[in-house]
Amino acid sequence: MNKIKTLIFLLFVSTNLLAQEVEIPTDLKLESAEDFQKTEQLVLNSADWLLKTPISENAGKRKNINAFLMKWMSGSPTVSIELVSGIVPLDCADCLMSFMSGWTKYSLKNNYSKNKVECALAGAENAIEFYKKNKSKLGKNSDMEKLIKQEKKGKLKKYIASKF
């Protein structure tokens, strides 16, 4: 029994350590398609860090990572995010970033997928996970609550598809 507890503790600690390792280089350039391609792993790690790190921790680092991701997502030649009313939590900036990060992660991990429904589903699921973890700090958000309601019904994908 102690071995299991130790293993669980080590897994928990290592997950938190991985989440803390993201550093955005100060000399980072995002000018060419090659620059964007070279930084894809940093994008994935950054998105994971934002999801795993409580919103109340590392505010300066969160701001830096958000700025990097916004710059990367807005200039990427391979990933295009479509913000659709009813899916996107527009009145919660951190939830919106989580949605866009989830969309981007899905696209990058699936050969630059352009499937809007699948990408939006991944974005919504990422935002839902983030929101649930940080709801006490964020406060109640009606857009996120609607997505959670659809998820609980098992109809999130169908709901998202209906919005496109």
Side-chain angles (χ1 to χ4, degrees):
M1 189 65 164
N2 282 339
K3 288 181 181 180
I4 293 173
K5 287 180 182 177
T6 302
L7 179 62
I8 291 171
F9 174 75
L10 289 174
L11 287 172
F12 177 75
V13 169
S14 66
T15 301
N16 283 338
L17 289 174
L18 286 174
Q20 303 302 320
E21 290 182 17
V22 175
E23 292 298 329
I24 309 300
T26 55
D27 61 344
L28 185 69
K29 290 188 310 181
L30 292 174
E31 297 167 357
S32 68
E34 186 179 342
D35 292 339
F36 283 89
Q37 195 266 332
K38 285 180 183 178
T39 56
E40 287 176 3
Q41 189 59 52
L42 181 57
V43 168
L44 295 171
N45 294 345
S46 296
D48 287 341
W49 186 91
L50 289 176
L51 181 62
K52 292 176 183 173
T53 305
I55 197 167
S56 59
E57 295 178 14
N58 298 313
K61 187 170 187 172
R62 178 173 293 279
K63 184 178 179 181
N64 189 28
I65 289 173
N66 280 338
F68 160 68
L69 286 175
M70 279 304 294
K71 184 174 182 179
W72 193 95
M73 290 184 282
S74 62
S76 172
T78 55
V79 177
S80 296
I81 301 170
E82 188 169 329
L83 302 178
V84 177
S85 179
I87 302 173
V88 181
L90 294 174
D91 57 347
C92 173
D94 289 301
C95 296
L96 176 58
M97 179 57 74
S98 187
F99 175 87
M100 294 188 306
S101 297
W103 179 303
T104 300
K105 280 176 21 182
Y106 181 87
S107 181
L108 290 176
K109 288 183 174 184
N110 290 279
N111 198 28
Y112 307 111
S113 176
K114 302 287 186 215
N115 184 321
K116 292 177 186 179
V117 173
E118 292 297 331
C119 289
L121 177 62
E125 290 170 343
N126 200 65
I128 288 168
E129 184 179 346
F130 173 81
Y131 175 72
K132 286 179 177 178
K133 288 179 181 180
N134 295 285
K135 187 175 179 178
S136 64
K137 295 287 182 193
L138 294 169
K140 191 171 182 176
N141 180 284
S142 60
D143 291 335
M144 291 307 304
E145 294 295 332
K146 287 177 190 174
L147 293 175
I148 290 169
K149 185 177 179 182
Q150 294 300 320
E151 181 186 50
K152 284 181 182 175
K153 291 181 186 177
K155 297 182 177 183
L156 184 59
K157 185 174 183 176
K158 185 177 179 180
Y159 174 77
I160 287 171
S162 74
K163 297 294 182 180
F164 281 99

